[in-house]
Amino acid sequence: MCPEKKDKDCVFCKIIGGEIPSKILYRDEDIVVFPDINPITPVHLLVVTRKHIPSLAQMSDAETALVGKMVIAANRVAREQGIAGKGYRLTINSGADSGQIVPHLHAHLMGGRQLRWDH
Ligand code: 5GP
Ligand code: ZN
């Protein structure tokens, strides 16, 4: 896998590359976690692949392990944030109907209050 595959116009690639500053809460060779700029829950973080993959719909079988790494990183950060016990939500939007606005694979880690299905 090539974690360095980037899109020069992508906001998340710029955050991962340090071009746009953000508070990085977790990083490893494949995953970076930072706060959503427009949080809709008390804890609202983005679990982002270093590799620029435009959406879940464009993932290949070769990225199976990457999905697992996203989930494990999310759970680790949820524990660090103190929300793993009471519960949290991990959401991946894919494509226009889901409301995806940033075309770089990411999961929303949300918690810190009782969530409704529509947030
Ligand atoms: P999507 O709808 O694509 O799943 O969600 C993209 C998320 O990225 C949104 O919740 C939005 O607030 C967040 N976002 C957009 N631009 C930036 C940015 O420049 N920095 C950070 N930290 N989050 C961003
Ligand atoms: Zn990107």
Side-chain angles (χ1 to χ4, degrees), residues 11-12 15 20-22 34-40 44 46 91-94 98-104 106-108:
V11 63
F12 288 176
I15 290 172
I20 297 176
S22 185
F34 51 83
D36 195 295
I37 203 168
N38 185 24
I40 59 171
H44 185 173
L46 300 171
T91 301
I92 300 178
N93 293 320
S94 183
S98 75
Q100 183 184 5
I101 53 168
V102 177
H104 179 133
H106 59 279
H108 296 255

Side-chain angles (χ1 to χ4, degrees), residues 30-48:
D30 296 303
I31 307 294
V32 175
V33 179
F34 51 83
D36 195 295
I37 203 168
N38 185 24
I40 59 171
T41 50
V43 177
H44 185 173
L45 308 175
L46 300 171
V47 182
V48 183

Side-chain angles (χ1 to χ4, degrees), residues 5 9 12 18 22 28 33 37 39-40 42 44 47 75 77 79 87-88 103 119:
K5 198 169 177 189
D9 298 322
F12 288 176
S22 185
D28 63 26
V33 179
I37 203 168
I40 59 171
H44 185 173
V47 182
N75 192 40
V77 176
R79 284 199 306 272
Y88 62 87
H119 295 127

Side-chain angles (χ1 to χ4, degrees), residues 7 49 51-59 93-95 100 102-106:
D7 180 319
T49 57
K51 185 175 179 181
H52 180 90
I53 301 167
S55 79
L56 194 55
Q58 287 160 74
M59 291 190 85
N93 293 320
S94 183
Q100 183 184 5
V102 177
H104 179 133
L105 183 65
H106 59 279

